[in-house]
Amino acid sequence: MSRKNKKQSRKWHIGLIARFNAFFALLLLISYLAYYIPPDPVWPLGLFGLAYPIFLTINTGFLIFWIILKKKYLFVSLISILLGWNHVGNHFRLFPAKEKESARQISVMTYNVRLSRITETGRKPAEFSSWLRQHQSDITCFQESYYPAKGQAKSLSGIAPRQRLSAYHRKAGLAILSTLPSFNKGEIDTRGRVFSVYADFISGDDTLRVYNTQLASNYLDDEKLIFDAGTEMQQQELQRQASNLVRKLINGYQRRVREVKALKRHINQSPYPVILCGDLNNTPLSYTYHHLRGSRFSDSFHNQQSIGMGNTYNGKMPPIRIDYVLHDKEYKTLRYERIKVDFSDHYPVKVSLSLPNEQ
């Protein structure tokens, strides 16, 4: 091949790569819309938001590629990443935060435990209780806490004997336990489904309200096998599972929009500063996260003491963060820890917060 033909061939390949780059940069830009537009009228945006880490990784790869080649195409991915730079910090800790101290603080844990007789945790209540004693918190929020099956609330206190049960809804699987005195509790529902419970607490001179929430699940079971590299499927079965996956994701997005609006209305009426815990079943690049957090709440994840994504889902899906501790800005996050234990398909999150009246 002549030198001229080699140069033309190289130029053609560079042009093709640049087109692919532009395509994935466009997908990244579209994914940002999932943060602002509710997915009930435009459901594909929810899927774009879920795929954001993938689009970001691909564009980062393109950026490095063009930097090495010293090509001006690097600005395509660079600009698309910078336009959504605030989302990067909601997904990844690029630098570890320093742990802080305060004379007046409380610790809060949220954990989707899948605690029932038919789960691994339910068969090992003594082991789980021992672990919980070692990670004692002032306030503990459980989701999917269906143990025991008959709903004897006192058995939950038996698992965490130094904590009192402050709020509990067996059918919803939501429980708030605490070492602090509580004086009020309640629940929130949409269309007959309870998805959040709350309780008011007294800590010294402070009064606070804690919400424990599990927004509508996607109810993915067999569909998760799509992400399991060790699972072999026939093409027809793969298409069926993929179709079910999309359908369930769409239904989950739409239900969560209703629930988050109801929860936001209730929070806005709270007479006390609020800490919001739970499994939101959505990533930080979602309308759910954006609408709930708004300008009122801080995300304690921003004070994680390690670098990385901090994924809280431990199941057969790509690593995602769907469990949160959000709080009014009167509080300050002193420490954030995602604890890697395998009692559930989620990891617990434990945070320490300074109290509002700290001087």
Side-chain angles (χ1 to χ4, degrees), residues 140-210:
T140 303
C141 294
F142 287 147
Q143 302 88 45
E144 296 193 41
S145 54
Y146 304 114
Y147 179 86
K150 293 183 179 180
Q152 299 172 359
K154 63 182 180 180
S155 295
L156 276 171
S157 297
I159 293 174
R162 287 180 286 179
Q163 293 184 318
R164 293 180 293 276
L165 193 61
S166 302
Y168 180 53
H169 194 283
R170 186 187 70 83
K171 188 175 181 180
L174 296 170
I176 302 177
L177 298 97
S178 180
T179 59
L180 303 176
S182 61
F183 62 93
N184 184 38
K185 63 181 179 180
E187 59 193 44
I188 309 170
D189 70 277
T190 58
R191 300 186 179 182
R193 176 187 177 270
V194 174
F195 65 90
S196 183
V197 297
Y198 66 90
D200 297 333
F201 296 96
I202 297 175
S203 178
D205 297 331
D206 296 282
T207 304
L208 58 143
R209 174 167 292 182
V210 175

Side-chain angles (χ1 to χ4, degrees), residues 1-10:
M1 183 182 291
S2 67
R3 183 179 298 178
K4 181 178 179 180
N5 288 338
K6 286 182 178 179
K7 186 175 181 179
Q8 288 177 341
S9 176
R10 184 172 183 270

Side-chain angles (χ1 to χ4, degrees), residues 55-339:
F55 298 149
L56 179 64
T57 301
I58 293 173
N59 276 276
T60 302
F62 276 121
L63 177 61
I64 295 172
F65 176 76
W66 295 126
I67 289 175
I68 293 173
L69 292 186
K70 299 180 181 179
K71 295 290 185 180
K72 62 182 179 181
Y73 297 117
L74 67 90
F75 290 104
V76 175
S77 285
L78 178 61
I79 292 173
S80 64
I81 292 172
L82 291 178
L83 286 174
W85 186 251
N86 58 311
H87 302 304
V88 175
N90 289 335
H91 285 78
F92 306 95
R93 292 302 304 154
L94 302 178
F95 305 98
K98 292 183 179 179
E99 185 175 348
K100 303 173 184 177
E101 294 294 334
S102 172
R104 302 180 63 256
Q105 59 182 276
I106 59 171
S107 56
V108 181
M109 179 188 290
T110 182
Y111 193 6
N112 184 324
V113 290
R114 295 191 66 183
L115 190 58
S116 70
R117 271 195 311 198
I118 63 173
T119 65
E120 186 66 20
T121 307
R123 290 195 293 270
K124 298 180 178 180
E127 183 179 332
F128 178 74
S129 182
S130 176
W131 174 87
L132 197 60
R133 288 189 184 95
Q134 296 173 18
H135 294 83
Q136 179 75 51
S137 299
D138 296 313
I139 299 172
T140 303
C141 294
F142 287 147
Q143 302 88 45
E144 296 193 41
S145 54
Y146 304 114
Y147 179 86
K150 293 183 179 180
Q152 299 172 359
K154 63 182 180 180
S155 295
L156 276 171
S157 297
I159 293 174
R162 287 180 286 179
Q163 293 184 318
R164 293 180 293 276
L165 193 61
S166 302
Y168 180 53
H169 194 283
R170 186 187 70 83
K171 188 175 181 180
L174 296 170
I176 302 177
L177 298 97
S178 180
T179 59
L180 303 176
S182 61
F183 62 93
N184 184 38
K185 63 181 179 180
E187 59 193 44
I188 309 170
D189 70 277
T190 58
R191 300 186 179 182
R193 176 187 177 270
V194 174
F195 65 90
S196 183
V197 297
Y198 66 90
D200 297 333
F201 296 96
I202 297 175
S203 178
D205 297 331
D206 296 282
T207 304
L208 58 143
R209 174 167 292 182
V210 175
Y211 288 86
N212 180 21
T213 300
Q214 185 179 20
L215 299 183
S217 171
N218 294 309
Y219 299 107
L220 301 179
D221 295 308
D222 295 339
E223 294 81 11
K224 295 177 184 177
L225 295 177
I226 294 174
F227 304 101
D228 190 345
T231 301
E232 295 184 3
M233 288 188 185
Q234 297 293 331
Q235 183 67 24
Q236 186 175 1
E237 175 64 13
L238 181 62
Q239 291 176 348
R240 187 182 73 84
Q241 296 290 9
S243 177
N244 287 341
L245 174 69
V246 173
R247 176 178 56 81
K248 289 184 176 183
L249 286 173
I250 293 169
N251 182 58
Y253 288 136
Q254 294 172 342
R255 293 176 61 194
R256 286 192 291 275
V257 168
R258 294 194 299 267
E259 292 175 351
V260 76
K261 288 180 178 179
L263 178 58
K264 189 69 176 288
R265 286 194 299 268
H266 199 283
I267 289 174
N268 287 340
Q269 297 172 1
S270 172
Y272 311 115
V274 167
I275 299 172
L276 172 62
C277 301
D279 173 6
L280 302 187
N281 272 305
N282 257 140
T283 68
L285 191 59
S286 65
Y287 176 81
T288 295
Y289 176 87
H290 172 61
H291 191 68
L292 264 184
R293 183 183 173 190
S295 60
R296 173 172 180 166
F297 288 133
S298 295
D299 186 343
S300 55
F301 170 74
H302 292 160
N303 288 84
Q304 182 174 253
Q305 274 72 51
S306 59
I307 62 174
M309 189 172 186
N311 58 295
T312 62
Y313 185 70
N314 187 31
K316 294 179 179 178
M317 282 187 70
I320 51 178
R321 182 168 74 98
I322 58 177
D323 301 270
Y324 303 85
V325 177
L326 307 178
H327 55 80
D328 271 321
K329 293 181 179 179
E330 292 100 305
Y331 302 98
K332 302 297 180 184
T333 302
L334 305 173
R335 176 178 174 80
Y336 176 100
E337 181 183 12
R338 178 203 58 173
I339 306 171

